[in-house]
Amino acid sequence: MVCTDDRYLPLDSCPRFDLSGIRWPGVSVPEAFKKRGGADLNHPDSVHWAQVQNDLHDAIRTARFRGDRVVILEGLMVCADHAGARSLASMCDAFLLLAPGDSSPAAQEVLWKRKYLRSHLGNKSYKDRGVTEQEYHAYWACYVWPRWLEHGFMDRRPKRSEVVNCLAEPEFVAEACYAAAASLLKL
């Protein structure tokens, strides 16, 4: 498995976004977000695409050597309108696209609350870092979700793809992904 999250550029090389532009429920940017900084990790220019492509080539060679039939490329921006993403997407035989149900506000709430409570990329959860639900919701609504709409697959669903609802319990999502992959790849 190749994960694009493993190949972010150094934070000072990533595009920036303005934290003060978010409509925070308090008077200022919450401390946890000040510490996080304005590196835009939800933008395709924040990924070292050439290194991800090298990783994918290595994974394919390893899979062939071991007799494996599938290599997974994971990343929320693989379908982005970006040269590096398009190059990687062209190497894929099929796509499993995870989406929050019907993407309604209620479905998004389930997803943002899950993300608010989980640790990620070696960091504590936002809740454990002292962020309130209202603050995280502002971050989600004013930054994360708009970036997903801009750089995710919503307007660029590839051929040979299946959308899987990511709001179910993880074991059910895994089962749905397996079934969709088996169907797409005729395993």
Side-chain angles (χ1 to χ4, degrees):
M1 181 162 141
V2 175
C3 184
T4 60
D5 277 1
D6 294 338
R7 295 300 181 187
Y8 280 115
L9 295 170
L11 294 179
D12 60 354
S13 298
C14 291
R16 314 304 289 171
F17 75 100
D18 183 10
L19 287 164
S20 65
I22 293 175
R23 294 181 304 275
W24 299 106
V27 293
S28 65
V29 177
E31 192 60 36
F33 289 103
K34 286 180 185 175
K35 286 181 183 176
R36 179 206 179 279
D40 191 346
L41 299 179
N42 289 305
H43 191 288
D45 285 340
S46 65
V47 176
H48 192 310
W49 292 104
Q51 188 59 55
V52 177
Q53 191 165 30
N54 290 339
D55 294 346
L56 186 56
H57 283 296
D58 290 346
I60 291 168
R61 277 192 296 276
T62 300
R64 285 185 180 140
F65 176 77
R66 294 183 352 189
D68 295 338
R69 297 176 57 195
V70 175
V71 173
I72 297 171
L73 171 63
E74 185 279 328
L76 70 98
M77 291 179 281
V78 172
C79 295
D81 186 15
H82 183 278
R86 285 191 300 272
S87 178
L88 281 169
S90 72
M91 297 172 65
C92 297
D93 295 322
F95 296 82
L96 288 179
L97 308 166
L98 300 180
D102 61 2
S103 298
S104 67
Q108 286 184 51
E109 182 176 1
V110 172
L111 185 57
W112 73 253
K113 284 186 174 182
R114 182 183 293 167
K115 289 181 164 284
Y116 167 70
L117 295 172
R118 72 166 182 161
S119 59
H120 184 59
L121 295 174
N123 296 312
K124 292 180 181 178
S125 72
Y126 278 100
K127 180 181 180 181
D128 290 341
R129 288 185 261 172
V131 174
T132 67
E133 276 193 13
Q134 295 81 10
E135 291 167 338
Y136 190 81
H137 180 256
Y139 174 70
W140 176 270
C142 295
Y143 166 65
V144 175
W145 188 250
R147 278 296 199 241
W148 166 244
L149 292 175
E150 182 179 1
H151 300 299
F153 71 84
M154 298 304 261
D155 293 328
R156 293 177 290 282
R157 184 171 168 190
K159 296 176 185 173
R160 295 208 61 212
S161 65
E162 290 287 334
V163 177
V164 176
N165 180 356
C166 66
L167 297 181
E169 291 301 318
E171 61 271 12
F172 296 119
V173 174
E175 289 173 9
C177 287
Y178 178 82
S183 173
L184 284 167
L185 299 173
K186 303 196 183 342
L187 299 176

